[in-house]
Amino acid sequence: GAVVSQHPSRVICKSGTSVKIECRSLDFQATTMFWYRQFPKKSLMLMATSNEGSKATYEQGVEKDKFLINHASLTLSTLTVTSAHPEDSSFYICSAREDYGYTFGSGTRLTVV
Amino acid sequence: GQQLNQSPQSMFIQEGEDVSMNCTSSSIFNTWLWYKQDPGEGPVLLIALYKAGELTSNGRLTAQFGITRKDSFLNISASIPSDVGIYFCAGTTNSGGSNYKLTFGKGTLLTVNP
């Protein structure tokens, strides 16, 4: 089946630094990928839709300059959390759309100290 | 935007019991998906439904796409301890350019007592 690899699985960074999270589709091409944020015991909240070769589409209330998305190839999308603050600490999950559904990465636990 | 109402929020059952959870919406959905999420992991697809009325099984799991296209249920039969986790329904609509976005329910936390 389709596999989406997300790295890193955990990252701790200092306030003010930037963190990049990678999402790769391993055995299929994904023209569309999605980035979600999940708070403890809550559902997934869509942050943005990442389109290969074009600008990402951000959901209302999500700062595009804060959460930079790049989808430079059909198998890779990256989310960069810029100038991270403790309130950015969260679980970030990517997914890729393929023929029969949506496959999710294993998530990245970001802790900003 | 679209909202999915998922119930129950949580369930505590004994091993061997059957479980049922459902999602409803005021909007028509053209795809219903059921996912399970373990702590610290991404959601894993359990069952995908694409046609109104469709009933699909995956081992001990059965899910149906409601005939009105506004609801879906997931049943788990003969539960086992490893069924513990959070179950999410999700769906897509054809509403105004949001073809490919998934809308998630709030999840059902399942606890199975051995």
Side-chain angles (χ1 to χ4, degrees), chain A residues 55-107:
Chain A
K55 291 182 180 180
T57 305
Y58 290 82
E59 295 299 299
Q60 192 172 10
V62 178
E63 300 174 61
K64 60 181 180 181
D65 295 329
K66 172 77 170 174
F67 299 100
L68 299 179
I69 291 172
N70 185 285
H71 195 154
S73 78
L74 287 170
T75 59
L76 174 63
S77 175
T78 60
L79 168 68
T80 301
V81 182
T82 63
S83 187
H85 290 283
E87 57 264 32
D88 297 326
S89 298
S90 193
F91 193 56
Y92 293 87
I93 310 173
C94 69
S95 78
R97 181 176 173 269
E98 36 92 19
D99 287 346
Y100 297 104
Y102 300 75
T103 301
F104 286 80
S106 55

Side-chain angles (χ1 to χ4, degrees), chain B residues 22-102:
Chain B
N22 70 85
C23 275
T24 62
S25 172
S26 57
S27 305
I28 288 175
F29 279 71
N30 55 24
T31 304
W32 284 94
L33 305 167
W34 284 93
Y35 289 88
K36 180 183 181 226
Q37 185 179 28
D38 292 326
E41 298 288 333
V44 174
L45 181 66
L46 299 174
I47 293 180
L49 303 160
Y50 301 101
K51 291 191 289 189
E54 181 179 356
L55 181 70
T56 298
S57 293
N58 178 8
R60 294 178 295 107
L61 278 60
T62 302
Q64 183 158 32
F65 192 145
I67 198 73
T68 65
R69 298 170 63 191
K70 294 183 178 181
D71 64 297
S72 176
F73 71 75
L74 173 71
N75 287 344
I76 304 173
S77 63
S79 60
I80 59 178
S82 61
D83 289 335
V84 165
I86 303 178
Y87 292 79
F88 290 102
C89 64
T92 62
T93 74
N94 279 330
S95 172
S98 64
N99 281 13
Y100 303 140
K101 283 195 234 182
L102 273 183

